[in-house]
């Protein structure tokens, strides 16, 4: 049996919290970390000052929790606030945080670099010359707010609501800004999700009505990761630590990755298939389970919508389970190990071994797919659909060691105000060609604007950098510099970005220790809340000082937080309350006055979080004080299978059960419960709502799908124009070998680097020193064929242009495939101002007709600044901006950008320079049109005259009426 060694410096007595069944310190962590500062001493913690060595100089700290804002995981940070100077000296892990349990990845402590970054934006700026010319002047917050509010007010009053769009990269919070937009009556939410996870989500959503998995890694026997999860995947640090716990217990780890990632080096099986063929392997494993009757028959009988499938697709057959089993075997008969081997290039014997390992997991199979293969390929949403098929076959859903739906491990509290659903539909975000898109079609925005489908009066970009992050960045520049298309661009950002250069206002927003946010993520089998807060505000409160009027008083320069910014902006849009907006931003305690963040969070913590008021009271604290002191709260641990919950009798009234076992009732509560996934809210003809599923005489909660069950057969895909993909299947990718032209290779451009995170981490010097380049991974066989050695320049030609990059020759990638990380290639136009000088090269941006180009003028250099370390910069590289040379490839169903590229790689030409990029935006627009042609628009396929199936998730859902397709000839 595995034993845990304790830190010998601390007492071996069982800590009090452990005795109570809790896993945290005081003393050594009950997990396996050394001692943390006990929370009882967070007001006065003493450490020796390492810089004073060899003298022993004591420093006294107040330890204040917040959460990391460098990736989505929201790990708990503890800010070490110097009690003498009230400066933050370092960030470490918060052992009270149930998700991260005191651990951090490199990006967490590097928050310190971001806070003290000498190049960060500290004051509101307004452009003082043409958009994109790089000339800025300081303005007051009042001037910026009045201008922006006035434009939004006019757009709303003149019924131009769709001209206001908020475009977010990393939200870092749970729904606050969606509610702001709903309060304004707009369908103006736009996200980055269709360049990130729409495909991953779609595969899960069609199965269970929920778009994220929550694997219980720590208790799994077999873990299948279609990603580099241990180093950089979704919920990276909280997941990685639990995967390693399982590995220590003896769990088998299977990693699918075209590269030998750090994750793959920890796997029992590293599977490197040809990109896009992952579903062929997964279906071969599924066939093995079906063929040998290794699946959980009882689970499949109870929970799959097999009856619906048989009734709709095989009405001539007896709809028995045995008849379905017969059909199931027939459906997957062709997915042999040999077929999968032929497609993927993975040996049939290896696939057979994988199938055997998976089959032995039974209900302890934890699986995860998010970006990676799903994000790369046309039809990539079938990667997660076929992966989850394995869970669905083994009954490893909602089980210990299995995979849960995300709502089981997430808690979303009800806020103080809940505005109604907006009454409008924004076709710029949700164009009619993509009725089944998982998220907004944001990558198409500049093309839709160029096509004359609308204009924007006010466009907010927030923690988002589409010029650099998205494919086709030059088309973004084209649109953003055209004031007839974009009237006002407001960039809400803590740091300079390629997109902020093309803004009218750049407004400085707080970092992880300078703002309030609330979040809850599915990191493991529990529900928790994390509280991000301005740490100096909390520190001053502990010292008995009064709360500031707003966060600008305590943040550096005039840096603000978004919560307060949106409240203030909303008041200025509707100053007298006559537009019906202001009421959502007013105090409840003192109506007619502005809502303050203390009341907002205080209300929420007091009224919406079971157990928190009682827990706080035990320590003599109010709930808000408790959260300010500890930064997180665990609501519940070990969540059972939610779909198996009984529907209580109190919810059953005038019940009707249909032929598929769906139970409708007049008293069903609408969505809103925190731990129960309610089925679709579609009412029946008599106004009853679906409340659950009758199985073997019991009424159970089920899944929030149209059938209430796991949808092996998706009636939605069938009825909305895609019957051929209604079952889990394999779609050949746009970069499948049969689709490549002679001389082309597949480029995998999707992998992350463990210590960087898109735009946000460039202002962290420690991270930049570790990772500052993105060479092209190339197998030695390909390198020999091309006559290229490591470090030599190659030209990578895409459909619309090319980029010039260094080769890195390795055995750690599949032959015939090249790969490049998307975390690099940051650039700035001005060598000395407006940008990071440790991670952005200085470039010339030129345009001749429809051809745009970047050419590097200078790399990274040592320089003088307020931080002496900038004189010690030893690296010059900042990588190459590859994404800008890709056209958009929206999957016609999920809407996801299919990132992989068919490219030609050859030695660089004379005159080529490292970092050169050249792109023809006319060609980019042609590719956009080509992919548009393969869509099946709502007007053609909608079975009920609506724009989109109402049950599908949307981040900001409009009213039901807004879903109706406009009738031809009717006035809008
Ligand atoms: S995984 Fe790393 S970057 Fe992400 S929240 Fe945790 S510490 Fe921050």
């Amino acid at each position: 049996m595995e034993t845990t060694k304790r830190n010998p410096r601390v007492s071996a007595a069982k800590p009090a919290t452990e005795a109570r069944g809790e896993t945290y310190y005081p003393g050594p962590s009950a997990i396996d970390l050394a001692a943390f500062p006990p929370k009882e001493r967070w007001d006065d913690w003493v450490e020796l000052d390492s810089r004073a060595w060899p003298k022993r100089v004591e420093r006294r700290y107040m330890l204040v929790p917040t959460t990391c804002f460098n990736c989505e995981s929201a790990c708990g940070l503890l800010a070490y606030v110097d009690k003498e100077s009230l400066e933050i000296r370092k960030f470490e892990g918060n052992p009270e945080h149930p998700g991260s349990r005191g651990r951090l990845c490199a990006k967490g402590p590097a928050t310190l670099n971001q806070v003290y970054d000498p190049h960060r934006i500290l004051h509101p700026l307004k452009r003082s010359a043409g958009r994109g010319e790089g000339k800025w002047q300081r303005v007051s917050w009042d001037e910026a707010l009045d201008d922006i509010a006035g434009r939004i007010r006019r757009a709303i009053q003149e019924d131009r609501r769709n001209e206001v769009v908020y475009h977010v990269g990393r939200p870092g919070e749970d729904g606050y800004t969606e509610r702001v937009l709903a309060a304004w009556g707009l369908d103006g939410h736009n996200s980055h999700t269709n360049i990130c996870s729409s495909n991953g989500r779609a595969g899960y959503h069609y199965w269970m009505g929920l778009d994220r998995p929550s694997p219980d890694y720590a208790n799994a026997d077999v873990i299948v990761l279609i990603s580099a999860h241990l180093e950089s995947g979704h919920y990276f640090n909280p997941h990685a630590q639990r995967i390693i716990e399982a590995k220590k217990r003896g769990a088998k780890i299977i990693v699918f990755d075209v590269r030998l990632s750090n994750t793959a080096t920890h796997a029992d099986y590293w599977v490197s298939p040809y990109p896009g063929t992952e579903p062929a392997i997964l279906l071969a494993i599924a066939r093995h389970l079906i063929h040998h009757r290794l699946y959980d028959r009882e689970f499949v009988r109870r929970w799959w919508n097999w009856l619906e499938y048989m009734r709709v697709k095989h009405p001539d057959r007896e709809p028995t389970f045995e008849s379905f089993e017969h059909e199931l075997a027939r459906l997957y008969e062709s997915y042999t190990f040999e077929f999968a081997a032929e497609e993927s290039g993975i040996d049939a014997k290896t696939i057979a071994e994988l199938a055997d390992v998976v089959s032995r997991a039974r209900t302890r199979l934890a699986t995860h797919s998010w970006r990676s293969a799903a994000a790369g390929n046309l039809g990539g949403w079938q990667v997660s659909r076929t992966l989850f098929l394995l869970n669905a076959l083994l009954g490893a859903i909602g089980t210990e060691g299995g995979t849960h739906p995300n709502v089981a491990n997430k808690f979303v509290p009800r806020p103080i105000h809940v505005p109604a659903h907006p009454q409008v539909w924004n076709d710029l975000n949700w164009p009619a060609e993509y009725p089944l898109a998982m998220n907004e079609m944001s990558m198409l925005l500049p093309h839709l604007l160029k096509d004359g489908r609308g204009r924007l009066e006010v466009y907010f970009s927030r923690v988002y950098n589409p010029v650099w992050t998205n494919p086709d960045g030059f088309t973004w520049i084209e649109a953003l510099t055209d004031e007839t298309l974009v009237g006002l661009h407001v960039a809400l950002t803590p740091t300079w970005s390629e997109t902020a250069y093309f803004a009218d206002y750049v407004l400085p927003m707080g970092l992880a220790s300078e703002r309030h946010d609330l979040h809850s993520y599915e990191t493991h089998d529990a529900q928790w809340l994390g509280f991000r807060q301005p740490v100096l505000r909390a520190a001053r409160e502990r010292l008995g000082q009064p709360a500031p009027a707003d966060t600008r008083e305590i943040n550096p320069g005039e840096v603000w937080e978004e919560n307060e910014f949106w409240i203030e902006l909303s008041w200025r849009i509707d100053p007298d309350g006559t537009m019906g907006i202001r009421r959502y931003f007013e105090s409840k305690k003192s109506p007619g006055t502005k809502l303050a963040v203390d009341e907002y969070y205080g209300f929420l913590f007091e009224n919406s979080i079971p157990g928190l008021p009682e827990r706080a009271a035990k320590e003599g604290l109010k709930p808000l004080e408790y959260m300010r002191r500890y930064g997180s709260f665990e609501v519940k641990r070990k969540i059972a299978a939610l779909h198996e919950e009984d529907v209580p009798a109190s919810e059953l009234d005038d019940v009707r059960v249909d032929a598929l076992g769906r139970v409708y009732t007049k008293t069903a509560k609408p969505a809103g419960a925190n731990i129960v996934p309610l089925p679709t809210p579609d009412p029946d003809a008599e106004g009853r709502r679906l409340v659950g599923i009758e199985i073997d005489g019991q009424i159970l909660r089920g899944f929030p799908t149209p059938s209430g069950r796991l949808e092996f057969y998706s009636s939605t895909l069938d009825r909305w124009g895609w019957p051929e993909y209604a079952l889990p299947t394999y779609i050949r990718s746009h970069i499948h070998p049969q689709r490549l032209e002679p001389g082309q290779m597949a480029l995998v451009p999707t992998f992350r680097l463990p210590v960087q995170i898109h735009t946000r981490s460039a202002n962290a010097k420690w991270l930049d020193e570790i990772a500052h380049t993105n060479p092209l991974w190339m197998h030695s066989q390909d390198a020999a064929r091309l006559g290229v050695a490591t470090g030599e320049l190659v030209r990578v030609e895409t459909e619309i242009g090319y980029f010039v990059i260094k080769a890195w020759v390795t055995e750690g990638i599949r032959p015939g495939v090249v790969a490049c990380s998307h975390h690099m290639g940051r650039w700035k136009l001005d060598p000395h101002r407006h940008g990071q000088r440790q991670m952005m090269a200085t470039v010339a941006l030129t345009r001749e007709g429809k051809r745009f180009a970047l050419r590097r003028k200078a790399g990274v250099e040592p320089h003088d600044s307020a931080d002496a370390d900038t004189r010690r910069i030893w690296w010059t590289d900042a990588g190459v901006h590859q994404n800008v040379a890709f056209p958009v490839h929206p999957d016609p169903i999920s809407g996801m950008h299919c990132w992989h590229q068919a490219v030609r790689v050859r030695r660089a030409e004379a005159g080529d320079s490292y970092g050169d990029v050249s792109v023809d935006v006319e060609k980019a627009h042609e590719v956009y049109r080509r992919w548009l042609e393969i869509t099946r628009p709502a007007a053609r396929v909608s079975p009920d005259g609506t724009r989109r199936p109402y049950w599908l998730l949307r981040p900001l859902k409009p009213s039901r009426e807004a879903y109706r397709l406009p009738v031809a000839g009717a006035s809008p």
Side-chain angles (χ1 to χ4, degrees), residues 127-147:
R127 74 175 161 91
S128 57
R131 208 182 274 164
E133 287 182 16
K135 297 200 165 48
W136 302 91
Q137 66 190 36
R138 261 177 76 170
V139 287
S140 67
W141 274 106
D142 278 336
E143 185 183 334
L145 284 162
D146 283 340
D147 185 9

Side-chain angles (χ1 to χ4, degrees), residues 7-27:
N7 184 333
R9 290 172 301 167
V10 295
S11 157
K14 250 186 190 279
T17 47
E18 199 179 344
R20 290 201 303 267
E22 297 171 10
T23 49
Y24 308 126
Y25 73 108

Side-chain angles (χ1 to χ4, degrees), residues 67-77 100 103-109 111 233 235-238 532 752 754 756-757 760:
T67 57
C68 181
F69 199 1
N70 276 329
C71 85
E72 194 180 1
S73 310
C75 296
L77 297 177
S100 53
R103 296 156 160 113
L104 298 173
C105 82
K107 302 186 284 289
T111 301
Y235 304 129
F236 155 45
N237 163 45
R532 187 174 288 136
R752 279 179 167 186
Q756 292 286 0
I757 190 81
R760 290 191 297 296

Side-chain angles (χ1 to χ4, degrees), residues 159-165 190 425-433 444-459 478-480 482-488 925 928-929:
D159 205 14
R160 294 182 287 114
R161 287 165 193 260
N162 285 349
E163 293 188 11
V164 180
V165 165
N190 213 340
W425 185 280
N426 192 332
D427 286 306
L428 281 176
N429 298 338
W430 297 90
E433 288 88 346
L444 300 188
L445 183 61
H447 291 284
L448 299 172
L449 291 171
K450 278 172 69 174
D451 273 354
R453 296 203 193 187
R455 72 176 289 277
L456 298 176
E457 175 64 25
V458 178
Y459 173 69
E478 243 194 331
L480 290 175
D482 185 339
E483 291 181 40
T484 64
L485 300 181
V486 181
L488 187 79
H925 200 61
Y928 146 76
R929 285 184 180 283

Side-chain angles (χ1 to χ4, degrees), residues 299-357:
F299 182 86
V300 173
R301 182 188 70 80
R302 283 163 56 82
W303 285 111
W304 288 29
N305 66 336
W306 59 267
L307 182 60
E308 183 182 19
Y309 169 72
M310 293 302 286
R311 288 230 162 108
V312 176
K313 301 311 264 189
H314 301 287
D316 50 329
R317 291 199 215 156
E318 190 68 20
T320 61
F321 183 61
E322 289 69 27
S323 145
F324 169 72
E325 285 185 297
H326 186 75
E327 172 66 6
L328 183 65
R330 189 195 64 77
L331 282 167
Y332 293 101
E333 195 48 41
S334 61
Y335 288 99
T336 59
F337 295 141
E338 291 70 29
F339 169 79
E342 181 71 26
E343 285 293 303
S344 66
I346 301 297
D347 184 61
K349 269 203 332 230
T350 305
I351 300 174
E353 201 174 324
L354 296 177
D356 182 50
V357 172

Side-chain angles (χ1 to χ4, degrees), residues 149-271:
R151 284 169 180 259
I152 295 173
R153 181 170 56 246
R154 279 193 297 282
I156 294 172
Q157 287 171 335
E158 293 167 11
D159 205 14
R160 294 182 287 114
R161 287 165 193 260
N162 285 349
E163 293 188 11
V164 180
V165 165
Y166 158 83
H167 202 164
V168 63
R170 170 61 47 231
E173 44 103 349
D174 257 352
Y176 184 99
T177 320
E178 280 97 319
R179 289 191 294 275
V180 170
L181 295 163
W184 296 356
L186 310 179
D187 183 23
H189 184 271
N190 213 340
S191 67
H192 74 290
T193 311
N194 72 341
I195 59 158
C196 175
S197 55
S198 288
N199 263 351
R201 290 167 190 261
Y204 291 110
H205 200 16
Y206 287 122
W207 261 114
M208 56 177 172
L210 299 159
D211 64 350
R212 290 171 182 240
S214 177
D216 181 15
Y217 290 124
N219 297 303
D221 285 350
V222 177
I223 294 172
V224 183
L225 303 172
I226 306 203
S227 67
H229 221 92
L230 278 170
E231 62 185 287
S232 57
H234 213 51
Y235 304 129
F236 155 45
N237 163 45
H239 276 182
Q241 55 183 270
R242 292 173 170 92
I243 294 169
I244 292 299
E245 273 173 26
K247 187 176 162 68
K248 282 164 71 181
R249 262 196 313 102
K252 292 277 179 252
I253 300 181
I254 299 169
V255 171
F256 284 56
D257 197 327
V258 73
R259 300 175 309 117
L260 180 62
S261 59
N262 290 340
T263 303
T265 64
H266 285 68
D268 297 278
Y269 295 91
W270 169 40
V271 187

Side-chain angles (χ1 to χ4, degrees), residues 271-310:
V271 187
S272 173
Y274 182 81
T277 62
E278 294 81 0
I281 300 175
L282 297 168
L283 289 174
I285 297 172
R287 179 190 176 276
H288 175 79
L289 301 179
I290 296 165
H291 193 78
H292 296 283
R293 291 266 180 144
L294 296 169
Y295 59 98
D296 183 336
R297 290 187 72 212
E298 190 58 3
F299 182 86
V300 173
R301 182 188 70 80
R302 283 163 56 82
W303 285 111
W304 288 29
N305 66 336
W306 59 267
L307 182 60
E308 183 182 19
Y309 169 72
M310 293 302 286

